[in-house]
Each structure stands twice: as structure tokens, then as C-alpha cells.
């Protein structure tokens, strides 16, 4: 088996990208992905050259285990990692899952900070050292590539952190991750921590050091880059910055910062950056987390120039206001593309151009929806096609499906929705009045299904401009402590809203084992 460490360390300016969208990212409340979605995300990560994909937390549930196995079986270039607490059963389970990968990694972690030791673990420092020796050795007996993380490292006294790191490397860890678990660090301090540990731990050269930063203070990317300046050569990050609470460092931002400012930070990654925009769309659709318009690199406005002065400068020379090109991150000009006369071959070509390779069934389904859209909408733009393919509401596996709905609204009067749903194959009808049309629709669905999820978020925006533009609706629901999000795009705003609501509802119904969830870390 080839391991990634420590021989590759000879290339001292290379920064390895460790993506944890499928583990830390998927832990965000409401970001649960289906197996199919996880495979789609893993595929684009592998294609874009992500060095390590953390595919899940195998002990958490059978679903998580199966997902790590499935990702491992399909991996082409990336190392596939599985997370494990410092518990023998976790490590065995992670080892069982990643052994299907051409190159697998066990990533085991234990808390090191005084506050975690006192209140969460109830262990002494000596006990933690013993745990590190045992668990890292156990992992190393299963696989050559072992990563050890000291959870809450940034709130751990440096002398104890150095002892933990030394112990982990002696026990066989090949990567040492020092996370800013609670997003508390500031860049200089984080860089200094790596410098200190790398300079004081005698065997530090036997491992690659890694950053893992949370964004509670909006510093995750800055801290990750500072960690590299301090000596780290692996960055743990997620697409769109998805992750616990305020999220993790955004992969697209660290990659483009290193690339665009190589003069100030002389390090490089092997990421093919033209895949970034598509990866962002895939993750946004799979997690049902919309990307904020002004998000760096992949936001809808990231390359839009509105003010007259900026537009004037751009027309004269793009570099006046652009520090990187939209093409370098895979953003193409929105073009007027297709209409109702476009055939299968043209549609397939367009999908390929937009970066989609669909299987036969998925292609057929997408083509039917495209034709339906082209019948209703004169101009079908690239953005419409992306929204149509990424819209996974109404999938064949859904337990609740929209059959029909009729909404009647009167100014100053009633708003009524008559709805027919198919629930587990049975036809159910409901009628409900609401304070507005959307309220009536959501109430009718609740009446038909017989349960009352709490609506956490409802938002609608236009996929393109114009009154005939598709509406993209987003809904987030909470029920019994679980949160799920749903998206749908449709020319009719009310139908999009109903389908987004049902998409979120169907996700709430996806059976997901809860074992070990409580112990999961950010
Ligand atoms: O934030 C964190 O500390 C983590 C660890 C499990 C690496 O996610
Ligand atoms: Zn984390």
C-alpha cells in the first residue's frame, strides 16, 4: 500500500487538501445527504484532485458505514479517510470501512484541552497519553496511514500538546492534526502553535501537520493559511465552508488564496480549480444549503460588476477589478442556450459542457423535465439547466409525492389550497385556508401527512432574470430534534414552494442511525 506520508514531504511547499464535506460538513444541522448524493460529491472531489476525502464516521450508523465503503470502492486518486473516536470499536469499524479504498486512512481523535478533559472526558492528562498510545497503535496495526487529531488543540497548554503529539507519532501516526475546534484562534497564534510544536517535538519530521479550522469568528480560512505559514502541510476544509455551527474553512477559498497570492504564500496544492464552481453547486444541491450571493469564489455575485466605474474598468482591462478570472474557477458566461426544439444530443452536449455526466435513467428524467420546462419557458439558460439537474425533489424514492394542487387567492380575502399527495403509494387529499397562499399550501401538506414539523426557513429567489424565470425555493424543517432542508426549482413559485417543502419533509423521513451522533465533534 502506498502511504501519502512522510516520503512525499520532500516536496516541502506542497499543501495537501483534506476535504471533510462528507463528515464535518454533513454534520451541519439540516445538511444530511443521501448515499447517492454523497457519491456524487465524492466523485467531483476525486476528479478535482482532493488528496484526502473524509467520507464519514463509520461507527455513527450503518448508513455512514455503507457510505464510507461505497466512496472507498469508487475512489480513483484520493485517499479515503474514516473518522473514529479514541475507542477500540470505532477504530475497528473505521478500518473495516476504509479497507475497500485503494488507499485508506483511519483518522482518530481525542480531546486534549483542560476544559474537555475536566468536563467531557473526566480523564487526567496521563490517562489521555495512555489512550493515545493504545488507540493510535491499534489503528496503525490495521493500516499504514493514520491521522491523529488533538481535539480543541488551540485551547490546550503547549507543553501538554507537545507531549500528546510526541506520543501519537511514536505510536505510528503519520499525520498530526491540531484543530481549532471551537473557532477561537487568531492567525498569528495558530501559526505560532505549529511553529512551537514542530520545533520542540523531536520526531515532528516523521509526520505531516494539519490544520482544521472552524469559522465561529470568521477566521477559518485566515487561520488555515497561517497554519501553513507555521509549518502545516495539510489543510482540512469543506466545499462552501459547510460544517458544524459557522462551518469549516472553505476549500475553494484556501485553494484560490494560495493560487492567487503565491507571491506572498509560496505553497501550492494539486487542485484543479476549474472544478470549484461545479463542486459548489453539487454540494449546495446535496446539502440543500444555498450559497450566499456574495460568497467568495463561488457566490453568484463573486464576479459580477455592477457599479459604472467598475464596469468601465472591466471593459478596458479585466484586471482592473478582477484578481482571478471566472474561468479559473469554472464559471462560464451565462448563455442563451436551448429551446423546445432542442433534441437529446444537444441536451447531452450542453450537460457535458456544464460538467454533468448523467447515467441513462437520470439523463432520461432530466430530458423529460427539460422538455417540460422548455414548453413553459421561452428561453432556457444554462442556470435553468443547472437548477433542473440539481433539483432532486420528487425523486423516485420519496415517500411523499405531490400529485396535484390548486391554490385560490383573493385580495383581502381567503387563500385556499386543495392538495392531492401520494403518501407511501396511497392517495391522500387535503384542503386548507391560510393567511397567504404559501401558508395555505404548507398547512395542507401538514394536514395530509398528519404531522407538524416546525418551519425554520423559507426563502425564494429567481434562477435567472425575467418574470418567466424559474423560482428556486428553499425550505428548512425541524421535527423531533432533527433538521432537514429541501430545494426545488419551477417556473411557478407556489409549486416550487410546495415541492421544496416536500423535499425537506422526505429528508426528515430518511432513516438515519443516531448511534454516536451525540459524541460527534465539530
Ligand atoms: O473540529 C474538530 O476538532 C474535529 C475533529 C474530529 C477533527 O472535527
Ligand atoms: Zn471539525
Amino acid at each position: 500500500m502506498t502511504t501519502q506520508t512522510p516520503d512525499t514531504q520532500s516536496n516541502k511547499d506542497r499543501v495537501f487538501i483534506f476535504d471533510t464535506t462528507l463528515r464535518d460538513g454533513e454534520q451541519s444541522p439540516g445538511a444530511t445527504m443521501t448515499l447517492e448524493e454523497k457519491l456524487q460529491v465524492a466523485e467531483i472531489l476525486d476528479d478535482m484532485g482532493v488528496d484526502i476525502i473524509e467520507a464519514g464516521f463509520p461507527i455513527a450508523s450503518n448508513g455512514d458505514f455503507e457510505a464510507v465503503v461505497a466512496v472507498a470502492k469508487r475512489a480513483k486518486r484520493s485517499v479515503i479517510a474514516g473518522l473514529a473516536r479514541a475507542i477500540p470499536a470505532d477504530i475497528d469499524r473505521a478500518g473495516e470501512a476504509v479497507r475497500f479504498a485503494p488507499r485508506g486512512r483511519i483518522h482518530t481523535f481525542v480531546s486534549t484541552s483542560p476544559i474537555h478533559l475536566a468536563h467531557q472526558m473526566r480523564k487526567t492528562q496521563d490517562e489521555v497519553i495512555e489512550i493515545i498510545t493504545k488507540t493510535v497503535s491499534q489503528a496503525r496495526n490495521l493500516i499504514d496511514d493514520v491521522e491523529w487529531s488533538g481535539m480543541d488543540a488551540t485551547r490546550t497548554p503547549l507543553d501538554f500538546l507537545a507531549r500528546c503529539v510526541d506520543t501519537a507519532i511514536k505510536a505510528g501516526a503519520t499525520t498530526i492534526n491540531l484543530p481549532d475546534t471551537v473557532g477561537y484562534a487568531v492567525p498569528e497564534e495558530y501559526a505560532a502553535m505549529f511553529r512551537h510544536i514542530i520545533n520542540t517535538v523531536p520526531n515532528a519530521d516523521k509526520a505531516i501537520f494539519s490544520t482544521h479550522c472552524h469559522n465561529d469568528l470568521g477566521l477559518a480560512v485566515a487561520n488555515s493559511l497561517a497554519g501553513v505559514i507555521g509549518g502545516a502541510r495539510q489543510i482540512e476544509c469543506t466545499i462552501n465552508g459547510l460544517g458544524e455551527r459557522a462551518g469549516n474553512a472553505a476549500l475553494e477559498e484556501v485553494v484560490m488564496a494560495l493560487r492567487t497570492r503565491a507571491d506572498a504564500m509560496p505553497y501550492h496544492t494539486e487542485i484543479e480549480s476549474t472544478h470549484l464552481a461545479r463542486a459548489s453547486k453539487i454540494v449546495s444541491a446535496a446539502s440543500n444549503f444555498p450559497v450566499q450571493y456574495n460568497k467568495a469564489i463561488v457566490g453568484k455575485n463573486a464576479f459580477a460588476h455592477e457599479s459604472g466605474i467598475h464596469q468601465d474598468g472591466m471593459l478596458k482591462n479585466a484586471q482592473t477589478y478582477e484578481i482571478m478570472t471566472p474561468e479559473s474557477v469554472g464559471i462560464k458566461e451565462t448563455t442563451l442556450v436551448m429551446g423546445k426544439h432542442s433534441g437529446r444530443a444537444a441536451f447531452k452536449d450542453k450537460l457535458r459542457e456544464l460538467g454533468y455526466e448523467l447515467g441513462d435513467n437520470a439523463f432520461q428524467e432530466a430530458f423529460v423535465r427539460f422538455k417540460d420546462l422548455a414548453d413553459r419557458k421561452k428561453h432556457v439558460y444554462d442556470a435553468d439547466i443547472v437548477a433542473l439537474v440539481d433539483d432532486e425533489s420528487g425523486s423516485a424514492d420519496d415517500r411523499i409525492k405531490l400529485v396535484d394542487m390548486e391554490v385560490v387567492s383573493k385580495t383581502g380575502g381567503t387563500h385556499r389550497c386543495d392538495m392531492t399527495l401520494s403518501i407511501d403509494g396511497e392517495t391522500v387529499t387535503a384542503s386548507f385556508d391560510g393567511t397567504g397562499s404559501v401558508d395555505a399550501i404548507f398547512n395542507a401538506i401538514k394536514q395530509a401527512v398528519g404531522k407538524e414539523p416546525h418551519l425554520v426557513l423559507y426563502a425564494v429567489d429567481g434562477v435567472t432574470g425575467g418574470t418567466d424565470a424559474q423560482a428556486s425555493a428553499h425550505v428548512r424543517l425541524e421535527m423531533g430534534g432533527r433538521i432537514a432542508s429541501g430545494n426545488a426549482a419551477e417556473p411557478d413559485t407556489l409549486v416550487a414552494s410546495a415541492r421544496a417543502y416536500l423535499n425537506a419533509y422526505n429528508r426528515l423521513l430518511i432513516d438515519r442511525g443516531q448511534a454516536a451522533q451525540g459524541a460527534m465533534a465539530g
Side-chain angles (χ1 to χ4, degrees):
M1 160 181 277
T2 336
T3 56
Q4 184 204 350
T5 57
D7 47 314
T8 37
Q9 212 175 9
S10 54
N11 185 354
K12 65 181 183 20
D13 300 330
R14 160 92 187 268
V15 175
F16 293 98
I17 295 295
F18 176 117
D19 180 279
T20 182
T21 306
L22 295 175
R23 199 276 300 169
D24 217 328
E26 210 235 0
Q27 269 173 235
S28 312
T32 308
M33 301 177 205
T34 63
L35 176 62
E36 253 332 291
E37 287 164 342
K38 288 182 185 179
L39 288 171
Q40 216 192 346
V41 171
E43 187 178 5
I44 180 95
L45 296 176
D46 200 340
D47 285 349
M48 75 159 75
V50 162
D51 300 288
I52 304 108
I53 299 173
E54 186 162 56
F57 187 12
I59 195 87
S61 67
N62 286 340
D64 263 46
F65 176 83
E66 293 305 339
V68 178
V69 170
V71 170
K73 283 184 176 163
R74 294 208 193 171
K76 292 172 282 204
R77 296 193 280 172
S78 309
V79 171
I80 305 302
L83 186 70
R85 290 168 298 180
I87 294 175
D90 278 41
I91 294 170
D92 281 341
R93 195 75 171 143
E96 240 180 277
V98 300
R99 78 189 162 83
F100 292 98
R103 294 187 296 154
R105 171 180 295 189
I106 296 176
H107 174 196
T108 181
F109 70 98
V110 70
S111 288
T112 53
S113 67
I115 189 161
H116 280 213
L117 262 55
H119 300 288
Q120 198 179 10
M121 299 192 50
R122 305 222 161 85
K123 299 270 183 228
T124 64
Q125 290 190 341
D126 286 345
E127 285 171 326
V128 169
I129 293 291
E130 206 176 304
I131 290 172
I132 295 172
T133 304
K134 279 200 185 133
T135 51
V136 174
S137 313
Q138 181 195 348
R140 195 50 212 264
N141 282 333
L142 296 172
I143 204 156
D144 288 347
D145 189 342
V146 173
E147 172 168 332
W148 176 80
S149 288
M151 187 148 93
D152 207 16
T154 49
R155 293 194 298 170
T156 303
L158 285 175
D159 54 347
F160 180 58
L161 190 60
R163 230 181 117 201
C164 292
V165 170
D166 182 50
T167 307
I169 296 175
K170 279 194 184 123
T174 46
T175 300
I176 298 291
N177 179 33
L178 302 179
D180 184 27
T181 304
V182 291
Y184 178 73
V186 295
E188 276 192 7
E189 189 177 84
Y190 199 52
M193 178 190 74
F194 279 100
R195 235 177 256 125
H196 177 86
I197 297 292
I198 292 170
N199 289 336
T200 53
V201 172
N203 50 9
D205 61 329
K206 304 230 162 22
I208 284 189
F209 281 78
S210 176
T211 69
H212 177 112
C213 298
H214 281 270
N215 207 26
D216 301 65
L217 293 175
L219 293 171
V221 170
N223 283 336
S224 305
L225 299 172
V228 170
I229 293 167
R233 288 295 178 271
Q234 175 179 288
I235 295 178
E236 300 196 359
C237 44
T238 57
I239 299 288
N240 296 340
L242 206 61
E244 281 277 355
R245 308 183 307 279
N248 290 60
L251 182 149
E252 60 279 6
E253 294 178 24
V254 294
V255 166
M256 290 314 287
L258 286 173
R259 194 175 144 153
T260 309
R261 293 308 312 275
D263 58 326
M265 297 175 287
Y267 314 101
H268 70 277
T269 72
E270 295 288 320
I271 299 295
E272 176 45 73
S273 64
T274 51
H275 288 63
L276 291 173
R278 183 162 139 62
S280 165
K281 288 205 176 73
I282 290 178
V283 168
S284 172
S287 62
N288 278 317
F289 268 47
V291 176
Q292 80 194 50
Y293 284 3
N294 59 337
K295 164 85 182 59
I297 318 296
V298 290
K300 205 171 182 169
N301 289 354
F303 293 92
H305 301 274
E306 182 75 25
S307 92
I309 297 177
H310 286 214
Q311 287 181 349
D312 176 60
M314 286 293 295
L315 289 174
K316 290 176 176 146
N317 180 339
Q319 283 181 11
T320 48
Y321 290 98
E322 229 165 53
I323 57 168
M324 57 200 151
T325 63
E327 292 76 24
S328 67
V329 301
I331 295 176
K332 294 187 191 104
E333 285 270 293
T334 299
T335 48
L336 180 62
V337 275
M338 320 259 294
K340 62 179 176 185
H341 301 298
S342 313
R344 270 192 175 67
F347 185 59
K348 192 164 248 170
D349 264 5
K350 177 49 77 180
L351 286 178
R352 209 170 288 129
E353 187 192 314
L354 293 171
Y356 292 97
E357 285 292 343
L358 302 185
D360 288 349
N361 290 345
F363 173 77
Q364 190 47 36
E365 228 174 76
F367 185 67
V368 170
R369 289 170 67 187
F370 159 68
K371 278 293 194 189
D372 178 47
L373 181 65
D375 268 343
R376 290 185 286 158
K377 191 172 183 291
K378 199 164 155 208
H379 302 311
V380 180
Y381 296 86
D382 286 2
D384 287 317
I385 294 182
V386 169
L388 177 144
V389 179
D390 288 344
D391 175 356
E392 302 207 332
S393 63
S395 105
D397 301 334
D398 286 350
R399 290 180 55 190
I400 314 172
K401 294 185 176 115
L402 177 65
V403 178
D404 189 36
M405 78 178 210
E406 188 180 320
V407 181
V408 179
S409 271
K410 188 166 169 16
T411 328
T414 52
H415 304 270
R416 183 165 191 81
C417 172
D418 294 315
M419 176 162 287
T420 308
L421 298 177
S422 157
I423 304 178
D424 290 330
E426 263 184 49
T427 303
V428 179
T429 56
S431 296
F432 219 95
D433 290 348
T435 51
S437 313
V438 174
D439 189 46
I441 292 169
F442 291 177
N443 282 332
I445 295 176
K446 284 193 273 189
Q447 189 191 50
V449 183
K451 286 200 186 115
E452 286 272 328
H454 167 62
L455 181 68
V456 182
L457 174 139
Y458 167 62
V460 181
D461 56 81
V463 173
T464 56
T467 48
D468 74 340
Q470 288 198 91
S472 170
H474 315 280
V475 167
R476 194 168 302 155
L477 299 176
E478 190 268 337
M479 191 163 61
R482 292 187 60 198
I483 295 184
S485 308
N487 280 336
E490 273 276 347
D492 184 317
T493 309
L494 296 180
V495 179
S497 303
R499 288 185 42 220
Y501 192 96
L502 289 172
N503 186 215
Y505 216 139
N506 278 305
R507 281 164 183 266
L508 275 179
L509 301 177
I510 294 173
D511 187 25
R512 185 156 198 249
Q514 297 296 310
Q517 292 287 320
M520 285 175 85

